[in-house]
């Protein structure tokens, strides 16, 4: 027996037709004269009407077992669905061994850790699998939007011989008697690639050896990185704003989210521009609101939470102090204490970080030294800047954080299939 239809393909047009459907048994209710069976596949539930005299064995099949069955489509008497299936033949059955580690219907709630330990089963919950369908749709929209803007998708190495951005948060490992690292970002590669390819993007996992146990940090996270020649940080902000608005429209159109619960996607006015605040604006505003902040310092979690309360929806913070930014960020031409950089925030959460890039190799060398990095370790990268490197700009968008905020989930682990954090490296 082979599946002929998915759940969502069953409708009133095929009443009277014989179909084969496949999925897992979500529910069995024996009310004497008939047995109601609910079979679910990834597209939704199917109500199956079973004659207990003809199929007494159905009561013996444990819930969550997979099954393929055949039957006739008929009009349903239930208000919740238009059609149902009258069971005529049972094909192969693939048994679920009870007790199961979690109840994927959600009737019995399990803690996130328990669910993640049984992720494959957890995904049989519609609310959970919807998050990953949304993630998949968002990826499709990201690729389409960026391709339309003439970006080329690239794949750069994740095993690297030296730190791409410097800093201490690299995973180091033994590589045939040498040291190697897991890439923390594609920063140097994407900058090199614009020399010929003009506009590039990469969607890939990156690795940070940060011992942070928060709802927004992972040791392996997905980033959407873009880099473009002859554009500046203002242009990149415009591109990212268009991109996020396209994703929101796409997600809304899926109808997969319970939008009453989801204030952000529901309430965002796509015709309004995302607010743009400078770092200086933020400091003034925070001081007015009795926050302890020093000009030049990074904005603490507390300060960002305050800003998040004062600014609804997405907002950019631009022109951060140069000393807070990595060596590749360009100084501001009016005030060299500041930089041509930006972050995109939603509430307290940072979603994107980017800026115009320093393209003068001598200035990069002195910035590297200032940050305690050895320019000799970057010689292979810096030589590219002598081959006619144009001005350029780019950014990195934390995909997991974006999906988390758009779906109204409160922990980044909810939207990552098999999350990695300091305590979790399996399954
Ligand atoms: P940054 O380090 O700010 O910038 O990273 C870019 C975005 O990636 C997300 N992110 C994370 N998400 C989950 N867990 C983490 N541990 C984590 N770390 C970062 C955030 C962040 O805004 N090379 C620059 C980007 C650029 O300038 O092009 C960079 O890596 O959403």
């Amino acid at each position: 027996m082979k599946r002929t239809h998915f759940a969502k393909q069953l409708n009133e047009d095929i009443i009277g037709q014989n179909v084969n459907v496949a999925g897992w048994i979500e529910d069995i209710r024996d009310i004497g004269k008939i047995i109601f069976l609910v079979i679910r596949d990834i597209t939704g539930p199917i109500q199956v009407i079973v004659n207990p005299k003809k199929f007494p064995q159905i009561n013996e099949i444990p819930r969550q077992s997979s099954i393929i069955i055949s039957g006739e489509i008929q009009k349903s008497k239930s208000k919740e669905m238009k059609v149902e299936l009258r069971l005529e033949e049972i094909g192969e059955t693939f048994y679920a061994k009870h007790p199961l580690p979690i109840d994927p219907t959600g009737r019995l709630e399990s803690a996130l850790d328990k669910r993640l330990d049984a992720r494959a089963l957890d995904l049989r919950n519609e609310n959970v699998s919807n998050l990953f369908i949304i993630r998949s749709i968002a990826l499709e929209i990201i690729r389409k939007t960026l391709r339309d803007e003439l970006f080329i998708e690239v794949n750069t190495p994740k095993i690297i011989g030296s730190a791409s951005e410097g800093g201490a948060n690299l995973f180091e490992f033994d590589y045939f008697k040498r040291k190697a690292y897991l890439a923390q970002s594609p920063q140097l590669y994407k900058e090199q690639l614009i020399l010929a390819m003009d506009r590039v993007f990469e969607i890939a996992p990156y690795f940070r050896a940060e011992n942070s146990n928060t709802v927004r940090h992972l040791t392996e996270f997905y980033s959407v990185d873009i880099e473009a020649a002859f554009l500046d940080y203002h242009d990149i902000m415009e591109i990212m704003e268009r991109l996020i608005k396209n994703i929101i429209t796409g997600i809304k159109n899926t109808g997969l989210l319970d939008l009453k619960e989801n204030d952000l996607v529901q309430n965002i006015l796509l015709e309004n521009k995302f607010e743009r605040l400078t770092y200086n604006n933020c400091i003034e505003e925070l001081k007015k609101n009795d926050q302890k902040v020093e000009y030049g310092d990074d904005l603490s979690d507390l300060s960002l939470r305050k800003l998040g309360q004062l600014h609804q929806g997405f907002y950019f913070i631009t022109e951060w102090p140069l000393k807070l930014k990595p060596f590749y960020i360009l100084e501001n031409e009016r005030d060299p204490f500041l930089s041509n950089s930006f972050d995109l925030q939603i509430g307290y959460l940072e979603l994107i970080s980017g800026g115009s890039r320093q393209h003068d190799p001598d200035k990069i060398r002195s910035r590297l030294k200032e940050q305690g990095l050895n320019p000799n370790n970057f010689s292979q990268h810096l030589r590219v800047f002598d081959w006619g490197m144009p001005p350029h700009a780019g950014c990195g968008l934390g995909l997991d954080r974006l999906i988390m905020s758009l779906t109204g989930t409160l922990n980044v682990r909810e939207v990552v299939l098999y999350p990695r954090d300091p305590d979790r490296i399996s399954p």
Side-chain angles (χ1 to χ4, degrees):
M1 198 185 286
K2 275 206 111 175
R3 170 195 270 147
T4 59
H5 291 74
F6 278 95
K8 77 165 187 192
Q9 295 167 324
L10 306 180
N11 57 47
E12 285 165 306
D13 296 344
I14 56 167
I15 286 176
Q17 212 170 295
N18 251 68
V19 299
N20 303 342
V21 297
W24 58 91
I25 297 177
E26 187 172 79
D27 205 8
I28 306 176
R29 264 182 311 129
D30 186 345
I31 58 160
K33 268 190 259 164
I34 43 176
I35 299 171
F36 289 106
L37 182 70
V38 179
I39 292 185
R40 187 180 277 279
D41 68 28
I42 187 64
T43 68
I46 305 162
Q47 170 147 286
V48 183
I49 307 297
V50 184
N51 178 343
K53 283 200 191 118
K54 218 166 147 193
F55 300 103
Q57 74 274 36
I58 212 89
N59 270 323
E60 308 303 317
I61 307 176
R63 287 175 197 198
Q64 297 298 328
S65 298
S66 288
I67 194 166
I68 178 156
I69 59 166
S70 172
E72 192 186 305
I73 297 295
Q74 60 185 33
K75 204 170 162 52
S76 173
K77 289 191 190 95
S78 152
K79 278 186 203 128
E80 280 146 50
M81 63 204 80
K82 296 221 161 80
V83 297
E84 59 195 18
L85 189 136
R86 189 161 35 79
L87 181 64
E88 269 159 22
E89 195 186 338
I90 301 179
E92 273 189 288
T93 308
F94 307 90
Y95 286 84
K97 285 195 190 125
H98 285 242
L100 293 169
I102 57 167
D103 171 13
T105 66
R107 266 179 229 131
L108 267 177
E109 262 184 54
S110 298
L112 180 59
D113 259 328
K114 243 182 135 188
R115 288 176 36 219
L116 291 175
D117 285 342
R119 192 54 137 171
L121 188 59
D122 183 44
L123 284 159
R124 282 190 167 173
N125 182 296
E126 190 181 22
N127 295 330
V128 177
S129 60
N130 279 349
L131 295 174
F132 295 95
I133 298 173
I134 285 170
R135 188 175 166 123
S136 159
I137 289 166
L139 281 166
E140 195 181 321
I141 294 168
I142 291 167
R143 292 201 160 90
K144 164 100 177 70
T145 305
L146 293 175
R147 284 295 298 137
D148 286 350
E149 305 229 15
L150 299 181
F151 284 81
I152 298 169
E153 182 163 6
V154 297
N155 306 106
T156 65
K158 304 300 157 236
I159 298 176
I160 53 174
S162 60
S164 39
E165 304 210 9
N169 57 0
L170 282 162
F171 284 110
E172 183 186 306
F173 61 98
D174 179 53
Y175 189 78
F176 307 109
K177 297 194 176 127
R178 272 187 296 165
K179 274 186 190 167
Y181 308 90
L182 292 177
Q184 64 201 139
S185 85
Q187 187 63 37
L188 306 190
Y189 293 107
K190 65 177 182 170
E191 284 194 56
Q192 294 182 20
L193 290 173
I194 63 92
L195 189 82
M197 298 178 94
D198 222 299
R199 294 181 180 192
V200 295
F201 74 102
E202 177 160 20
I203 305 173
Y206 295 99
F207 306 91
R208 306 264 168 110
E210 284 162 359
N211 200 352
S212 320
N213 285 291
T214 76
V215 294
R216 63 181 194 277
H217 285 97
L218 295 169
T219 49
E220 175 178 331
F221 68 97
Y222 262 77
S223 169
V224 178
D225 272 86
I226 75 168
E227 200 67 28
F230 302 108
L231 294 186
D232 65 17
Y233 68 117
H234 294 291
D235 303 317
I236 299 294
M237 288 194 286
E238 294 290 331
I239 291 172
M240 295 316 274
E241 185 170 339
R242 284 198 289 279
L243 177 64
I244 288 181
K245 287 177 172 172
N246 282 352
I247 297 171
I248 291 174
T249 307
I251 289 181
K252 261 188 177 167
N253 290 344
T254 63
L256 289 176
L257 278 180
D258 184 0
L259 286 176
K260 283 186 293 313
E261 274 176 29
N262 192 325
D263 287 339
L264 178 63
V265 167
Q266 178 76 323
N267 297 334
I268 195 127
L269 295 172
L270 295 180
E271 61 278 15
N272 287 0
K273 272 201 95 65
F274 294 173
E275 244 187 297
R276 283 153 168 76
L277 312 167
T278 63
Y279 169 85
N280 288 358
N281 296 151
C282 293
I283 295 291
E284 279 165 30
E285 197 172 23
L286 288 166
K287 282 191 170 155
K288 262 190 226 148
N289 282 278
D290 305 322
Q291 299 286 307
K292 274 203 194 105
V293 279
E294 280 302 324
Y295 184 73
D297 283 359
D298 208 351
L299 300 180
S300 66
D301 227 39
L302 218 63
S303 296
L304 290 170
R305 280 180 200 275
K306 185 81 218 165
L307 288 171
Q309 284 166 10
L310 297 168
H311 302 275
Q312 298 299 306
F314 295 93
Y315 61 99
F316 287 107
I317 304 178
T318 66
E319 287 144 39
W320 291 77
L322 185 64
K323 68 166 195 213
L324 298 178
K325 287 290 164 183
F327 64 86
Y328 48 80
I329 291 285
L330 187 66
E331 74 275 357
N332 185 272
E333 51 291 349
R334 277 170 282 117
D335 181 355
F337 181 77
L338 300 176
S339 64
N340 287 348
S341 58
F342 71 90
D343 283 0
L344 180 74
Q345 297 283 136
I346 176 86
Y348 79 102
L349 188 66
E350 176 199 311
L351 291 180
I352 305 183
S353 176
S356 293
R357 312 305 190 185
Q358 180 57 264
H359 59 278
D360 174 341
D362 289 331
K363 285 194 178 160
I364 300 178
R365 278 187 194 94
S366 56
R367 290 270 289 141
L368 280 166
K369 280 188 209 145
E370 270 167 41
Q371 300 199 340
L373 297 165
N374 183 352
N376 294 337
N377 296 342
F378 291 80
S379 53
Q380 281 192 338
H381 176 58
L382 288 168
R383 64 200 288 250
V384 177
F385 286 70
D386 291 332
W387 299 339
M389 180 61 106
H392 56 283
C395 70
L397 156 71
L399 180 71
D400 316 296
R401 289 187 183 178
L402 178 73
I403 303 296
M404 165 185 162
S405 56
L406 294 182
T407 55
T409 43
L410 299 175
N411 189 327
V412 72
R413 291 161 187 78
E414 292 276 3
V415 298
V416 175
L417 284 171
Y418 297 100
R420 295 291 179 251
D421 64 33
D423 291 330
R424 179 177 284 282
I425 43 172
S426 65

